[in-house]
Amino acid sequence: MTKLPFVTIDANGEGVSVVGKGSPLLYIDNQRVDFSTLSGISVEDIKSVEIIRNPSVKYEAEGKAVIKINLKKVKETVLNSRYLRRQPFKNDSVIILMPISSRKNKTEWKINAAFNAVQHWESNGYNYTVPSKNISSDYTIVSVTNRPQTIFGASLYQELNDNGDYLTLAFNSNFRPDKGDNNTNTMYSENGISSNILTLNHQDNKRASINSVFNYNKKLADWDANIFTGFQYTRESRNVDYEFFNNINNSGYEFNQFRKQRYSGDVYSGRIDFEKKLNENYKLELGTSFTKAETTTDNITNYTAIKAPEFFNYFLKKAIPDHMPM
């Protein structure tokens, strides 16, 4: 993706944008996917990449640009493995790739697995003053974590006849835990009284993405037309645990608070496209799509300094209409 013209990748490697267009819609063959799904695809399986800066109505209306990845069709059994090691800035990464593909008659299947052992280092600092309150403060934080990433993908392509009818099944997953320590050194002064605070934060972050796709394509020879049907299920989850300890003026580390954050989202989508060639210069395209999303979040914070336990329950219900008023 970094080698494509007009395309930039976010600093954290989890987002993509097109210059002058913002975030693009991402497609693998004829099915829309999110960015995390791309990491489950082996580079060897990619035939070509199209950057569509002015997409037609065939694609969703909210997209000002489209990046479409077309996958190869395999002709024989292939087993590859690759080992890479890189160290950009302070991030050390070890990548192992294992793609397998095979084709027999009209049946094609692919399996790929990858393991990326990332050791991440990051640091930043900040200082501020509030003259009216005689307050000044500055801090420096250093984060060192291990982020092993496990990627798995499998797909099945079945030609149903010689007319161009086919069906595909695909599954991709991406598991990327992030575990380590964040250390903060804070100097805080108020009314001439200064304190040196060392904060230790143990972080245990578990993040996972799962994507499954079913596609069916039917040629209507008598009509010189084509029907494409696709269904997709995507799940994204993230569970984070934090433990905070403070060491004030070298008095020793004491437990301060514990946090739990839970998030999961399920997305169900489908589409039907109809194409008919009218003549050499005109083609009729019709289509419809639907999307349903469900999310669940939980946040728990436990403070050691609270004398009596406090409990808060929140309920939020949100509905987005399918058709916005004109």
Side-chain angles (χ1 to χ4, degrees):
M1 298 292 286
T2 58
K3 299 182 183 298
L4 298 177
F6 307 107
V7 175
T8 59
I9 304 298
D10 294 349
N12 59 6
E14 297 184 353
V16 61
S17 62
V18 175
V19 176
K21 298 290 185 176
S23 299
L25 301 180
L26 303 176
Y27 278 78
I28 297 178
D29 289 332
N30 292 317
Q31 189 66 270
R32 183 179 173 182
V33 299
D34 56 15
F35 186 79
S36 62
T37 304
L38 298 184
S39 60
I41 298 175
S42 173
V43 177
E44 287 80 2
D45 290 338
I46 298 177
K47 178 182 178 181
S48 62
V49 179
E50 301 177 47
I51 302 176
I52 307 173
R53 293 173 59 84
N54 294 292
S56 67
V57 294
K58 179 179 180 179
Y59 303 99
E60 277 78 356
E62 72 267 23
K64 296 182 179 180
V66 171
I67 297 178
K68 184 179 179 182
I69 297 175
N70 302 304
L71 301 181
K72 296 177 181 177
K73 301 297 183 292
V74 234
K75 297 181 179 179
E76 58 185 4
T77 302
V78 179
L79 170 61
N80 295 316
S81 64
R82 186 163 76 239
Y83 174 86
L84 304 174
R85 186 178 183 90
R86 63 188 180 189
Q87 189 173 2
F89 302 104
K90 292 295 184 177
N91 298 333
D92 194 13
S93 178
V94 177
I95 305 174
I96 301 174
L97 304 174
M98 291 288 293
I100 306 172
S101 58
S102 177
R103 182 180 180 92
K104 184 177 181 181
N105 298 326
K106 296 181 179 181
T107 302
E108 170 191 317
W109 59 268
K110 300 176 185 178
I111 297 176
N112 66 278
F115 178 77
N116 186 2
V118 180
Q119 293 180 328
H120 180 77
W121 183 96
E122 184 178 1
S123 178
N124 67 78
Y126 186 78
N127 64 79
Y128 68 92
T129 59
V130 186
S132 61
K133 301 293 184 180
N134 295 320
I135 294 175
S136 64
S137 178
D138 68 85
Y139 76 82
T140 302
I141 181 171
V142 177
S143 175
V144 182
T145 61
N146 293 315
R147 300 181 179 180
Q149 185 180 45
T150 304
I151 299 170
F152 176 80
S155 65
L156 171 68
Y157 174 83
Q158 178 67 55
E159 293 184 16
L160 302 178
N161 50 44
D162 296 328
N163 298 327
D165 299 349
Y166 67 86
L167 63 84
T168 61
L169 293 170
F171 173 82
N172 297 283
S173 62
N174 189 336
F175 302 96
R176 45 202 186 281
D178 187 1
K179 189 173 184 178
D181 292 336
N182 305 312
N183 289 276
T184 306
N185 187 353
T186 304
M187 292 295 298
Y188 181 81
S189 176
E190 183 175 357
N191 295 323
I193 301 176
S194 299
S195 298
N196 181 20
I197 305 171
L198 301 178
T199 302
L200 172 61
N201 171 19
H202 294 303
Q203 171 185 304
D204 188 0
N205 184 354
K206 297 180 179 67
R207 188 173 179 181
S209 301
I210 296 175
N211 182 69
S212 57
V213 173
F214 169 79
N215 292 330
Y216 174 70
N217 190 81
K218 175 68 176 177
K219 287 279 188 180
L220 304 176
D222 295 339
W223 288 17
D224 195 12
N226 186 82
I227 293 180
F228 172 83
T229 303
F231 300 95
Q232 183 176 3
Y233 167 72
T234 303
R235 178 177 176 82
E236 179 83 18
S237 63
R238 184 177 184 182
N239 299 329
V240 190
D241 292 338
Y242 295 107
E243 287 182 313
F244 291 89
F245 299 84
N246 285 331
N247 181 355
I248 302 176
N249 296 327
N250 297 318
S251 61
Y253 281 99
E254 294 183 359
F255 175 75
N256 177 263
Q257 63 177 271
F258 179 80
R259 297 180 187 173
K260 285 185 178 181
Q261 298 177 357
R262 301 291 182 262
Y263 167 82
S264 63
D266 299 281
V267 180
Y268 308 86
S269 61
R271 62 182 300 148
I272 299 176
D273 294 330
F274 175 81
E275 296 182 0
K276 177 175 173 55
K277 188 175 182 181
L278 301 178
N279 53 44
E280 292 297 328
N281 299 319
Y282 295 96
K283 181 171 65 173
L284 174 66
E285 295 183 350
L286 299 173
T288 184
S289 64
F290 76 90
T291 301
K292 180 182 179 181
E294 301 173 348
T295 60
T296 302
T297 60
D298 281 312
N299 292 280
I300 300 174
T301 303
N302 184 9
Y303 295 94
T304 177
I306 294 180
K307 297 180 179 180
E310 297 180 357
F311 299 94
F312 302 92
N313 292 323
Y314 298 92
F315 177 75
L316 171 65
K317 184 176 182 180
K318 183 177 180 180
I320 302 176
D322 294 334
H323 302 284
M324 299 298 294
M326 299 299 291

